[in-house]
Amino acid sequence: MKKFFIFLLILLLILGGVGFWGYQKLTSFVHTPVNVTQDQLLTIERGTTGSKLVALLEQENILEHADLLPWLLKLQPQLNKVKAGTYSLTGVKTLQDLLDMINSGKEAQFSVKFIEGKTFKEWRKNLENAPHLKQTLKDKSEQEIFQLLALPKVSKAIDEWMKIDGWLYPDTYNYTPNSTDLELLQRAAERMKKALDKAWNERDKDLPLENPYEMLILASIVEKETGIAAERPQVASVFINRLKAKMKLQTDPTVI
């Protein structure tokens, strides 16, 4: 009996030692360096955990031997709350960094800038050159894009020649990978609509303008007439007085 207890004690010590060694192996595994390049992106699909995550990391050559990863995720379940998305691996150096990133849900962010005073043709070029943005409008005419944006109708006569220029709010728009060019234009159009509605509702009631679109046209003419913001109220006042007097605006932008 004594020999049995000694044997059992030795067995427990061995198992304890193996368990401790395994624990140490797993906890140190999380500090394994990963193989990533500058500006590399990693897309995580829904349901990517455990063996699927192992396969993905090995497929992308981010981690050469990821066999211990499922065991690590069981040992530390807080690292297994992986969120679907596309992540930037810039600054990621270890497996710990990588797991923290894909558990955070903070997807990679890019931006495109729509510059005030530029034409839609120029803005469209910016969209075409934007990185990781899905291009869905390449084969669409400007009139087709106008319809997709569902911009406000004015009148049958005006709608036939209305252009997108002026209907998009100039600003810098952030987006995540796999966003579409149409989605960004819709955001810009919605912001302009809200800004224009606010300006129209707060306008002086004696302005010689019949609808928000005429206000938008006048604002565009004023913008082209002078690039100095401080001069615009005075220029606008001159144009308003000419409209009230039924005069021509006599300004270069309307000819151009």
Side-chain angles (χ1 to χ4, degrees):
M1 183 66 70
K2 184 177 180 180
K3 290 182 179 180
F4 174 75
F5 281 115
I6 292 174
F7 171 77
L8 185 60
L9 179 60
I10 293 173
L11 181 61
L12 290 174
L13 288 173
I14 292 173
L15 290 176
V18 171
F20 180 75
W21 175 84
Y23 177 81
Q24 289 290 93
K25 184 77 172 176
L26 287 175
T27 53
S28 61
F29 177 65
V30 78
H31 301 297
T32 302
V34 291
N35 180 34
V36 299
T37 59
Q38 187 71 15
D39 300 328
Q40 183 176 346
L41 298 179
L42 178 67
T43 298
I44 303 291
E45 303 291 345
R46 291 187 182 278
T48 303
T49 57
S51 59
K52 288 184 179 180
L53 186 57
V54 169
L56 176 64
L57 296 182
E58 289 182 342
Q59 177 186 327
E60 297 292 330
N61 296 318
I62 293 174
L63 204 60
E64 290 185 9
H65 304 291
D67 296 343
L68 292 177
L69 183 55
W71 296 97
L72 174 65
L73 297 179
K74 288 180 180 180
L75 180 66
Q76 300 186 26
Q78 73 275 12
L79 297 177
N80 200 21
K81 298 177 181 179
V82 178
K83 297 176 177 62
T86 299
Y87 298 89
S88 170
L89 300 186
T90 300
V92 171
K93 296 180 179 180
T94 67
L95 178 59
Q96 179 76 63
D97 296 334
L98 177 63
L99 292 174
D100 288 344
M101 176 65 70
I102 62 179
N103 275 271
S104 71
K106 296 178 181 178
E107 291 191 73
Q109 290 276 340
F110 297 91
S111 65
V112 61
K113 188 173 185 179
F114 294 152
I115 300 174
E116 185 177 5
K118 297 295 184 181
T119 64
F120 175 66
K121 185 177 180 180
E122 292 170 303
W123 283 21
R124 196 170 180 178
K125 278 289 183 185
N126 289 350
L127 285 175
E128 290 173 357
N129 294 328
H132 305 289
L133 184 67
K134 281 187 179 179
Q135 303 295 326
T136 65
L137 303 175
K138 281 188 175 181
D139 300 325
K140 303 290 185 185
S141 67
E142 184 171 333
Q143 193 60 36
E144 288 174 320
I145 297 174
F146 189 96
Q147 292 172 355
L148 288 171
L149 292 176
L151 294 171
K153 301 290 184 180
V154 179
S155 69
K156 186 175 181 180
I158 294 178
D159 290 345
E160 292 178 355
W161 55 263
M162 278 175 64
K163 293 181 176 292
I164 298 177
D165 297 77
W167 279 115
L168 304 176
Y169 195 92
D171 203 351
T172 298
Y173 292 87
N174 295 322
Y175 64 92
T176 56
N178 298 318
S179 299
T180 70
D181 45 7
L182 179 59
E183 288 170 347
L184 288 187
L185 290 180
Q186 287 171 330
R187 286 166 56 190
E190 185 61 28
R191 281 196 63 188
M192 178 55 77
K193 183 179 181 302
K194 289 181 179 178
L196 187 58
D197 287 345
K198 184 175 185 294
W200 180 253
N201 291 332
E202 295 175 355
R203 75 190 187 283
D204 291 336
K205 299 305 179 182
D206 64 340
L207 286 180
L209 303 171
E210 294 185 2
N211 53 61
Y213 186 59
E214 287 191 356
M215 175 179 279
L216 181 61
I217 293 174
L218 184 58
S220 298
I221 293 172
V222 172
E223 181 184 66
K224 288 294 185 181
E225 178 67 18
T226 177
I228 303 174
E231 294 180 351
R232 287 173 182 164
Q234 184 177 358
V235 172
S237 177
V238 171
F239 289 157
I240 290 294
N241 289 335
R242 289 177 181 175
L243 287 172
K244 286 181 177 179
K246 307 297 183 183
M247 293 173 57
K248 294 180 179 180
L249 293 184
Q250 296 178 321
T251 177
D252 290 343
T254 59
V255 178
I256 296 171

